[in-house]
Each structure stands twice: as structure tokens, then as C-alpha cells.
Amino acid sequence: MTDIEREKRMRDLVVLVADPIRRYLHRRADAATADDVLGDTLLVCWRRLDEVPADALPWAIVVARQCLSNVRRAERRRTRLIGRIIAIDPPPVAAQDNTAASSGDSATATARVSTALASLGRDDAEILRLWAWDELTSPQLAVVLDISANAAAIRLHRAKARLKQELLKSEGPTGHVSHDEGSTDARR
């Protein structure tokens, strides 16, 4: 492959995968980290351009997941090192900030889904995110998760069922409306 053909292939690949990978990373990391990992992912794509399959998106998501894992591992090492340094030479005591962060409205559907998703296992939550947010099909999920397409379809089905159960738990008794004693609520 000539340099011009290689450059064109990379440009086409970037057009295909950059936005979906950016969205994937922004849902899993802060903006700066996501942008750095996107750059790392595209660099790996350039270096391994001859290995990129025809259905490049799942392959690129695997690369992005691995790059993000590397960043998180490095961050954990930095955190442990800072902890050791603080243990040896603690900083002076600083005034604590007592400002409370405002909490969102937990009654919203988004909050309910987020809470239900957080209560699922890591693997269930990941396959649901890949399916719903990244719009991957079962065969694409199989590539990302390194499993068969059938196993991906089964895991997705089970994860959806678990999410549904979590959402039903958060709803409480169906059709239950509480009324104060003596109320003349016309909605009865």
C-alpha cells in the first residue's frame, strides 16, 4: 500500500470511528481524559492500520477500552504513590470545604435508569451501555467483548432483564397512590 493509499484509508477510518469512540469515552471518563484516550486510540489505529477489519468500529472500541484501562491503571499507580508520599510527609491541615453538592431530582427517569444501571454488575452495565449508547449489534458486541455472537445476544438479553427488574424495584407497588387522611383529593 502506498503512503497516499494508507493516508486515505486512515482518513476514512477516522471519519467512521472518531465520533462514536469520542462519545464512548466521554461517557466513561472526564473530557480531558477522553480526548487523550481518543488520540491514543487513533494512534494505535494508525500503527495497526493493516490489521483493522472491515467492521472497524467494534475493533476500535476494543482499542479504546484498552487505552482507557491503561490510563486508569496509571492513575491508580499515581494515587498509590501520592498516598505513600503523604504517609511519609503529610501536608499541613487545610480548612475543609463544607459546601454541599446539590443532588439532582431522583424522580426523573434518567436518574432512575442511572441508579438501576449502577446497581447492576459491571459486565451487565457495560454490555447495556455498548448496546444502548454506542448502538452496537450482537455481532459487534461479540467482537468488543471477545465472545461469540450468540453469547453476546444471550448476555444482552439477560442484562436487559436484570435492568428491567431493577427499574421495577425502584417503582414501588404499581398503582399505589397514597392520600393524606381527610384529604378531598379528586384524583381518587
Side-chain angles (χ1 to χ4, degrees), residues 33-86:
T33 301
D35 290 341
D36 288 345
V37 173
L38 176 62
D40 293 344
T41 302
L42 293 175
L43 181 60
V44 170
C45 289
W46 172 252
R47 289 180 180 158
R48 298 177 59 195
L49 193 58
D50 296 333
E51 300 171 35
V52 177
D55 191 7
L57 182 59
W59 184 88
I61 288 175
V62 169
V63 172
R65 283 178 76 195
Q66 292 168 343
C67 290
L68 185 57
S69 291
N70 290 342
V71 167
R72 288 180 174 157
R73 246 188 324 277
E75 183 59 35
R76 284 191 302 270
R77 283 193 301 265
R78 274 191 295 278
T79 301
R80 283 193 305 270
L81 177 60
I82 290 169
R84 285 186 211 132
I85 292 170
I86 289 172

Side-chain angles (χ1 to χ4, degrees), residues 23 129-137 140:
R23 288 190 305 269
R129 286 183 192 112
L130 288 168
W131 170 75
W133 294 348
D134 299 308
E135 300 176 356
L136 297 185
T137 63
Q140 292 173 324

Side-chain angles (χ1 to χ4, degrees), residues 64-130:
R65 283 178 76 195
Q66 292 168 343
C67 290
L68 185 57
S69 291
N70 290 342
V71 167
R72 288 180 174 157
R73 246 188 324 277
E75 183 59 35
R76 284 191 302 270
R77 283 193 301 265
R78 274 191 295 278
T79 301
R80 283 193 305 270
L81 177 60
I82 290 169
R84 285 186 211 132
I85 292 170
I86 289 172
I88 294 169
D89 185 20
V93 178
Q96 293 185 358
D97 185 12
N98 291 329
T99 58
S102 63
S103 60
D105 183 6
S106 64
T108 65
T110 302
R112 280 187 57 232
V113 171
S114 295
T115 301
L117 197 58
S119 68
L120 294 177
R122 184 181 53 133
D123 292 341
D124 284 345
E126 179 65 4
I127 199 166
L128 288 168
R129 286 183 192 112
L130 288 168

Side-chain angles (χ1 to χ4, degrees), residues 112 165-176:
R112 280 187 57 232
Q165 289 302 316
E166 290 298 323
L167 288 170
L168 289 173
K169 278 188 219 176
S170 70
E171 259 183 24
T174 56
H176 177 63

